[in-house]
Amino acid sequence: MAAFVDRVVLHASGGDGGHGCASIRREKFKPLAGPDGGNGGNGGSVVLVVDPQVTTLLDYHHAPHRHAPSGTQGMGDNRSGSTGADLVLPVPDGTVVKSPDGEVLADLVGIGATYVVAEGGHGGLGNAALSSQRRKAPGFALLGEPGDSADVVLELKTIADVALVGYPSAGKSSLVAAISAARPKIADYPFTTLVPNLGVVQAGDARYTVADVPGLIPGASEGRGLGLEFLRHIERCAVIVHVLDCATLESDRDPIRDLDVIEAELAAYSGDLQIEGGRVPLNERPRLVVLNKIDVPDARDMAEMVRPELEARGLRVFEISTASHEGLRPLSFALAELVEQARKDAPAPEVARVVLRPKAVDSSGFTVTRRQDGDHEFFQVRGSKPERWVRQTDFTNDEAVGYLADRLARLGVEEKLLKSGAVAGAEVVIGEGDNAVVFDWEPTLMTGSELLGGPRGTDLRLEDHSRPTRGEKRKEYKDRMDAKAEAREELWQERQAGHWADPEA
């Protein structure tokens, strides 16, 4: 059974919002005393929180599907449903949240850092909240919205100051055990280290952490060996230490060749430069070279041979022995100096700023697009409000459907459909994907009074605020007099003809 997991795929879904309640209050002598349906409760969200007690993603490896509690339905007597509690998932410090496509969504560094993976749905309104002066007793309520669902990739990138890299069995674990209190597994066979090891080193007043990752081999950046799985753990390190084995028994290896191979793998590895501590590529960071195992006579001779060439490349070289602890003290103080300098050069943490994005004056909040799929033509409506209103509508209730139509008309959807060329019977799609609602559009018929916004008891159509000219007044008077004369003449002719006395006329 795996004991250390640093990469998992998490399938998270927020809780659904509770439905609103359609209820009528009943009292003595008042069987219909008004609406009293309560609102539904909001669903819980799935939240990642950095916990210092967690060091691995093993829990999410065994149980990758996580669902937050849903809100409950509203009830009568104005009782709202309960809100679903947020599902808090603890993760190790340094966890990077990515989308399935590899986009970095969040870099959780620091105790208490949080990220909402999937938000819960909003609860629906009850008929008590939907009542108004025009709609005294709504016979419907809004449905709760479903919670969001998301698939994210969690990657653990160890937070350390110094990274030890090198071939398998080069002595990296022995070096961590010699300069710190860590006790990693040490054995005389390759790939003894299967998980990253962390150690805390105290050099004078300086304190820093050292990470030991599994050994690298040629092709590690392409997935060979264990290198690709653990190269991510050195992305945050400020200093890289090349641990070279001067006592290797393999004929095709020597310290210079090992250094070139590891440098090539670090240069070929493309990490996440946008994460905290990953702004500089691995091959451009400060580095030291450690010639290990000089307690062996042949290894000491090999170290003396390759040291001039390494120093000619501009690298600081330290000859050490993890068995006899020779050269460890100067190495620890040199690493402390580089770490302190890296901390000084690091950019100061930016204070989180509140960014306000006000809505544009000419923005309607939705779009209407005319689409053609072969011979099939339809109009697609996209926007947060229309799509949310559709999800909240109970289409088995005619009154709820009418309420949705009124809301869409007030928002201006029908007006934009007309401008886009839609006619009666055109197919309209609100939303996208499987959750879209498709219907044949029938324009709302307006009598004209709905468009008037004057005070109660007034009709703007009867009001004329323009002042007529003298000529217009004279013409209006003559037209009125002529109309009266024609009416009198017509009545006199009918009287003379006897139309009023003869029933057959």
Side-chain angles (χ1 to χ4, degrees):
M1 180 180 297
F4 180 84
V5 176
D6 60 349
R7 188 181 188 277
V8 296
V9 179
L10 180 66
H11 310 277
S13 57
D16 299 333
H19 301 327
C21 177
S23 173
I24 300 297
R25 186 171 69 254
R26 289 171 173 82
E27 301 176 2
K28 189 176 182 180
F29 307 117
K30 291 183 180 180
L32 300 177
D36 66 346
N39 303 332
N42 297 332
S45 303
V46 180
V47 184
L48 300 178
V49 179
V50 174
D51 189 344
Q53 303 299 326
V54 179
T55 59
T56 178
L57 301 174
L58 181 63
D59 292 343
Y60 313 117
H61 173 73
H62 295 307
H65 298 270
R66 300 301 177 100
H67 181 72
S70 300
T72 60
Q73 184 175 354
M75 296 169 285
D77 199 15
N78 294 310
R79 291 176 294 173
S80 299
S82 61
T83 300
D86 292 340
L87 179 61
V88 179
L89 303 179
V91 294
D93 192 5
T95 301
V96 178
V97 185
K98 295 184 177 180
S99 66
D101 299 333
E103 178 186 1
V104 176
L105 303 177
D107 184 18
L108 302 180
V109 177
I111 299 175
T114 60
Y115 176 72
V116 179
V117 179
E119 291 187 355
H122 294 281
L125 298 178
N127 63 343
L130 296 174
S131 62
S132 63
Q133 292 294 332
R134 294 184 178 182
R135 188 181 290 103
K136 299 291 186 180
F140 67 97
L142 299 184
L143 303 178
E145 297 183 56
D148 295 337
S149 298
D151 296 339
V152 295
V153 179
L154 304 182
E155 289 186 357
L156 176 58
K157 299 180 184 289
T158 304
I159 299 178
D161 299 311
V162 178
L164 305 181
V165 298
Y167 266 77
S169 299
K172 301 183 296 297
S173 299
S174 301
L175 178 57
V176 172
I179 62 178
S180 69
R183 292 296 176 262
K185 181 180 179 180
I186 300 174
D188 57 351
Y189 54 84
F191 297 110
T192 305
T193 302
L194 300 178
V195 299
N197 299 307
L198 284 178
V200 179
V201 181
Q202 184 75 37
D205 297 334
R207 180 189 295 265
Y208 56 92
T209 56
V210 179
D212 160 35
V213 298
L216 304 179
I217 61 175
S221 60
E222 301 174 358
R224 293 190 61 188
L226 299 177
L228 183 63
E229 295 297 327
F230 295 101
L231 272 174
R232 69 173 67 97
H233 291 279
I234 66 175
E235 290 186 28
R236 302 184 191 273
C237 298
V239 181
I240 295 179
V241 176
H242 288 278
V243 182
L244 305 180
D245 186 2
C246 293
T248 179
L249 300 178
E250 300 179 22
S251 58
D252 58 340
R253 284 182 52 194
D254 61 76
I256 300 296
R257 187 176 304 175
D258 291 355
L259 176 64
D260 294 337
V261 170
I262 301 302
E263 285 283 317
E265 295 303 323
L266 295 181
Y269 178 73
S270 57
D272 299 319
L273 298 181
Q274 63 268 40
I275 66 172
E276 183 70 22
R279 300 180 180 88
V280 182
L282 296 180
N283 60 330
E284 299 179 7
R285 302 185 188 184
R287 55 194 186 275
L288 298 178
V289 175
V290 170
L291 302 177
N292 194 16
K293 303 180 182 179
I294 61 172
D295 54 294
V296 180
D298 293 341
R300 187 181 294 273
D301 296 339
M302 175 65 71
E304 294 177 356
M305 291 175 54
V306 301
R307 184 184 183 109
E309 183 174 350
L310 296 175
E311 292 178 344
R313 297 186 181 185
L315 300 173
R316 297 179 62 181
V317 182
F318 292 86
E319 300 178 10
I320 67 165
S321 171
T322 57
S324 62
H325 289 200
E326 181 181 351
L328 294 183
R329 183 174 178 83
L331 174 62
S332 63
F333 279 93
L335 293 177
E337 179 183 350
L338 290 178
V339 169
E340 290 293 334
Q341 185 62 38
R343 291 173 180 174
K344 292 180 181 179
D345 297 339
E350 298 181 358
V351 179
R353 295 178 297 174
V354 178
V355 180
L356 301 179
R357 294 182 175 87
K359 180 181 176 181
V361 177
D362 57 347
S363 175
S364 59
F366 67 94
T367 58
V368 177
T369 308
R370 189 172 187 170
R371 299 190 179 277
Q372 191 82 22
D373 187 6
D375 297 335
H376 179 217
E377 184 184 61
F378 62 96
F379 296 84
Q380 188 174 31
V381 180
R382 297 299 309 275
S384 58
K385 284 187 177 180
E387 295 180 21
R388 186 175 73 250
W389 293 346
V390 165
R391 292 193 299 265
Q392 293 176 334
T393 301
D394 180 11
F395 287 94
T396 61
N397 189 307
D398 294 338
E399 189 177 354
V401 176
Y403 178 69
L404 172 64
D406 293 342
R407 299 176 85 180
L408 294 177
R410 287 196 301 268
L411 186 62
V413 174
E414 290 199 351
E415 184 180 353
K416 274 207 171 183
L417 285 173
L418 288 172
K419 292 182 179 179
S420 301
V423 296
E427 181 177 326
V428 177
V429 179
I430 299 181
E432 187 177 17
D434 298 336
N435 297 326
V437 174
V438 184
F439 61 92
D440 294 334
W441 181 54
E442 293 294 338
T444 303
L445 298 179
M446 297 288 189
T447 62
S449 61
E450 295 87 348
L451 304 177
L452 301 178
R456 178 176 298 182
T458 62
D459 193 339
L460 297 180
R461 295 171 296 179
L462 303 178
E463 298 182 8
D464 188 5
H465 300 284
S466 61
R467 189 173 182 178
T469 62
R470 181 175 299 179
E472 292 174 348
K473 290 181 180 180
R474 185 180 298 109
K475 183 177 182 300
E476 181 183 357
Y477 175 76
K478 289 183 177 181
D479 292 342
R480 187 164 57 249
M481 292 298 102
D482 292 342
K484 287 182 179 181
E486 291 178 1
R488 285 195 298 266
E489 182 66 25
E490 183 179 356
L491 290 174
W492 178 256
Q493 291 177 359
E494 291 179 356
R495 181 180 181 184
Q496 292 294 330
H499 289 177
W500 293 356
D502 189 359
E504 296 180 357

